[in-house]
Amino acid sequence: MLVLSRRDVESLLDLDALVAALSSAMTELSAGQASMPPRAAAMVAEADAVLGVMPAYLPRAHALTTKLVSVFPGNAGSALPTHQAVLVAFDAATGEPAALLDATYITAARTAAGSALATRVLAREDARTLAILGTGVQARAHARAVARMRGFTDIRVAGRDPAKAEALAAELADAGLPAAPAAGYAEALAHADVACAATHSPDPVVRREWLAPGAHVSSVGLHPRGYEVDTATVADALVVVESRASAFAPYPAGAPELAECVADGRLRAQDVTEIGEVLGGTREGRTSATQLTYYRSVGVAVQDAAAAALVLARARELGAGTTVEV
């Protein structure tokens, strides 16, 4: 079995190639060609945490994978990330376990690449201001990935801790991005064309009254007792998800703000669009410059499979990784 460390995966996974691979994977999923059962999870109540299991098969990529991912919010601010994961890839022809990959980086990269893809498809072409809400791993990954999709001239970073927002903005500026800290979430969102929410907040960090006409919002955060985007935003927006089945699944798989809007009649489940449907041309995306669009990501296993296929192809090409007997 080939074993690939986090350092291996980081060096082998190309972000632009990942966005393209996700476009294919999401189209394949919405067309009913991929196999992706609902995510299952064991709850660790005393830590307010979960251990999830995410299997998938992507025929086009010949990718058959299962990811094990732990989400421990209590790790925030420590040396350990809140999301940690490993992924096993199987031979799609024989079922033989073929590789074990660190998937902590894959999880961060594919989530950000999914939001970048949604930005490419849904944001206005003239979008120039980007708001990054959050200061953790996902916020950092989103800033780097989403910035590739438009010619942003202003990137505003906001978080619960102003010092962390300043540090992330400085890091992004050092990397050549036009980033600066904002005094708060409302300031970051003022006149923002694109917003990426990547927090663990139980209270909305995106509120409808803070959003400009025609804004595009991506949300990837999850909290058991709340949500980071208010339901007024959901009710007013074109809502786009990776998978309706996943988005409307119970916690910890789904998006509770969508379920609430359906329950109170402000949203119809059948009106929620899958990003693969927009990419495949079977449903419309943005229809006007003033339309509000909302991409709600809950993370789906075909994204992990697509990322793993890229990593493994590159690893075999370069002879990277370590082979072990299991």
Side-chain angles (χ1 to χ4, degrees):
M1 173 182 282
L2 180 64
V3 177
L4 294 168
S5 69
R6 187 176 308 180
R7 182 175 297 178
D8 292 330
V9 173
E10 289 180 0
S11 68
L12 296 167
L13 186 55
D14 179 81
L15 187 54
D16 292 323
L18 179 56
V19 173
L22 291 190
S23 178
S24 176
M26 302 318 298
T27 304
E28 197 171 355
L29 179 65
S30 291
Q33 297 164 348
S35 177
M36 190 183 75
R39 177 166 55 200
M43 312 299 293
V44 187
E46 60 270 28
D48 199 16
V50 299
L51 174 65
V53 183
M54 301 174 65
Y57 174 52
L58 274 175
R60 290 182 199 169
H62 305 289
L64 178 63
T65 64
T66 294
K67 185 175 80 172
L68 295 172
V69 56
S70 66
V71 183
F72 277 65
N75 290 348
S78 75
L80 293 174
T82 57
H83 292 61
Q84 300 173 84
V86 294
L87 182 146
V88 179
F90 296 81
D91 188 301
T94 66
E96 180 184 12
L100 173 67
L101 294 75
D102 175 272
T104 299
Y105 180 74
I106 282 177
T107 300
R110 61 79 155 152
T111 304
S115 293
L117 176 63
T119 300
R120 192 188 78 190
V121 173
L122 298 171
R124 299 192 326 270
E125 289 294 335
D126 64 351
R128 293 297 178 267
T129 301
L130 170 63
I132 298 295
L133 310 181
T135 57
V137 170
Q138 279 294 350
R140 179 177 289 101
H142 272 71
R144 293 177 178 273
V146 174
R148 294 168 177 252
M149 298 298 111
R150 293 290 188 272
F152 293 109
T153 57
D154 184 10
I155 299 176
R156 306 169 184 175
V157 181
R160 181 177 53 187
D161 183 338
K164 290 183 178 179
E166 290 180 9
L168 177 55
E171 177 186 325
L172 297 173
D174 287 344
L177 295 175
Y185 299 121
E187 180 178 300
L189 288 168
H191 309 296
D193 303 309
V194 176
C196 296
T199 74
H200 188 63
S201 177
D203 302 310
V205 300
V206 176
R207 297 184 182 274
R208 180 66 185 92
E209 63 267 25
W210 297 343
L211 293 171
H216 169 68
V217 178
S218 290
S219 168
V220 303
L222 181 66
H223 194 284
R225 291 176 294 279
Y227 25 82
E228 64 184 4
V229 175
D230 70 357
T231 54
T233 297
V234 176
D236 281 357
L238 168 68
V239 180
V240 180
V241 299
E242 298 135 327
S243 156
R244 277 182 292 275
S246 294
F248 287 105
Y251 180 85
E257 75 277 16
L258 301 190
E260 180 175 321
C261 285
V262 169
D264 66 20
R266 288 184 290 169
L267 178 69
R268 298 190 308 168
Q270 60 265 38
D271 292 336
V272 173
T273 297
E274 294 183 354
I275 187 72
E277 293 172 332
V278 180
L279 291 162
T282 59
R283 287 210 188 189
E284 284 189 316
R286 173 179 292 277
T287 56
S288 77
T290 57
Q291 185 179 34
L292 180 66
T293 56
Y294 178 47
Y295 170 69
R296 181 49 160 117
S297 169
V298 298
V300 290
V302 294
Q303 296 173 333
D304 301 309
L310 289 177
V311 171
L312 287 173
R314 188 66 174 155
R316 288 163 179 153
E317 177 184 341
L318 298 177
T322 304
T323 301
V324 301
E325 293 293 331
V326 178

